[in-house]
Amino acid sequence: MDYMFKEVHDIISVEMKSDKNCQITSMISVFENCESFYNFTLIGFGADNLKSMQKLFYKSWLNQYSFTSFNTLALEDISYMFASTYIENFNLKGINTNRVTEMSHLLDDCSSLEYADFTGFDTSSVKDMSYMFHSCTAIKELDLSGFKTGEVVNMSNMFQECISLTELNIKSFDTSKVEDMSFMFDSNIALENLDLSSFVTTNLKNMSSMFLYCDGLEYIDVKNFDTRNVVNTSGLFASSKHLLEVDISNFVLSNNKDMSKMFF
């Protein structure tokens, strides 16, 4: 089904049905750049072998969607699935994500997104969450307390340019395997509190611009960060103009190769 309706600009609404013996393995870019596409309904797909829904709705005008009786037990990749769409509310009810390893850019550039419900959203196998919420400029609250992130390696740019975000719950994040947090909170200008108490940074290598332009933060608690393996802290706290206190007395920077503009 890959690219089946890509750039077909006169599609408005689609309802898809299938029997339980469907042999589809991939739904990559099926509705990519469908400019008139507004509503999608999927019912009764027994896609036991479906592994990828990458860019399924990428750059379409999607606003409403639903998945009913959809077997996705083999699903591994949902990267870019809703990127650059016009959805205002997000949930993936009806889709099993327990084997998904790739979630990068999932909601990237969803500038109309105002609410996201992650109830029942299984992230236990995910390795890449980079750019997951990048440029979700309208959303004000994100409760990710149910996220299991023990396998995640890449969180770079995860919340970058979420300029309206005031509440972010990541208290339960397990970051013990994460290597890249560069630009993770870049331009979170409305965020006034950030609890990083659960962060374990033993394997962290890149912290470049992690808190760049975090204008609302007066205090960032990174005193328990293990930075022994970090090689890049360039721009780490740069342009966070209201930052009054940050304790880096426990930072070990012996392997660091780039500390340029760290507080610029």
Side-chain angles (χ1 to χ4, degrees), residues 205-216:
K205 295 179 181 179
N206 193 349
M207 295 174 70
S208 174
S209 302
M210 185 174 177
F211 304 104
L212 178 67
Y213 291 114
C214 286
D215 289 351

Side-chain angles (χ1 to χ4, degrees), residues 27-255:
M27 296 178 72
I28 295 173
S29 298
V30 176
F31 301 103
E32 181 178 342
N33 204 25
C34 291
E35 293 182 354
S36 300
F37 185 50
Y38 182 83
N39 182 51
F40 176 75
T41 304
L42 189 149
I43 302 173
F45 252 61
D48 294 3
N49 299 311
L50 179 63
K51 292 187 176 182
S52 180
M53 297 176 80
Q54 182 191 66
K55 293 187 176 181
L56 178 61
F57 305 114
Y58 181 54
K59 288 188 176 180
S60 71
W61 286 38
L62 182 72
N63 183 269
Q64 299 177 11
Y65 62 94
S66 65
F67 302 94
T68 305
S69 300
F70 188 31
N71 184 355
T72 57
L73 292 175
L75 190 61
E76 297 176 354
D77 189 348
I78 58 173
S79 61
Y80 292 89
M81 185 173 175
F82 295 92
S84 300
T85 61
Y86 288 84
I87 57 172
E88 296 177 0
N89 298 286
F90 170 82
N91 72 71
L92 272 185
K93 292 176 182 177
I95 292 185
N96 189 320
T97 57
N98 69 339
R99 291 188 181 180
V100 172
T101 59
E102 179 61 70
M103 283 188 184
S104 66
H105 299 266
L106 176 62
L107 295 165
D108 189 355
D109 194 32
C110 288
S111 58
S112 299
L113 184 68
E114 296 181 351
Y115 177 74
D117 181 3
F118 291 101
T119 304
F121 195 60
D122 191 339
T123 61
S124 57
S125 298
V126 179
K127 294 183 178 180
D128 192 349
M129 288 186 174
S130 62
Y131 292 87
M132 190 171 180
F133 303 99
H134 175 256
S135 290
C136 290
T137 55
I139 200 162
K140 295 180 179 179
E141 297 181 13
L142 275 175
D143 183 359
L144 308 183
S145 56
F147 271 34
K148 296 179 180 179
T149 59
E151 297 300 318
V152 179
V153 175
N154 191 351
M155 288 186 176
S156 64
N157 308 78
M158 187 172 180
F159 306 104
Q160 186 179 26
E161 295 182 8
C162 291
I163 59 174
S164 300
L165 193 63
T166 58
E167 298 290 334
L168 177 60
N169 187 346
I170 52 175
K171 293 179 182 178
S172 63
F173 269 29
D174 178 351
T175 61
S176 56
K177 291 186 178 181
V178 178
E179 297 180 2
D180 193 346
M181 291 184 183
S182 60
F183 295 91
M184 186 173 180
F185 305 103
D186 173 23
S187 299
N188 284 191
I189 59 176
L191 196 63
E192 296 183 356
N193 295 289
L194 185 59
D195 188 346
L196 305 176
S197 58
S198 68
F199 276 35
V200 176
T201 58
T202 310
N203 288 302
L204 189 58
K205 295 179 181 179
N206 193 349
M207 295 174 70
S208 174
S209 302
M210 185 174 177
F211 304 104
L212 178 67
Y213 291 114
C214 286
D215 289 351
L217 294 176
E218 294 183 355
Y219 173 67
I220 301 175
D221 187 358
V222 291
K223 62 178 179 292
N224 292 321
F225 272 32
D226 184 341
T227 60
R228 285 174 293 180
N229 292 312
V230 175
V231 297
N232 191 344
T233 56
S234 62
L236 179 58
F237 305 104
S239 299
S240 295
K241 59 186 179 183
H242 292 126
L243 188 62
L244 299 176
E245 182 180 355
V246 57
D247 184 354
I248 61 169
S249 59
N250 290 324
F251 272 31
V252 176
L253 301 172
S254 53
N255 290 315

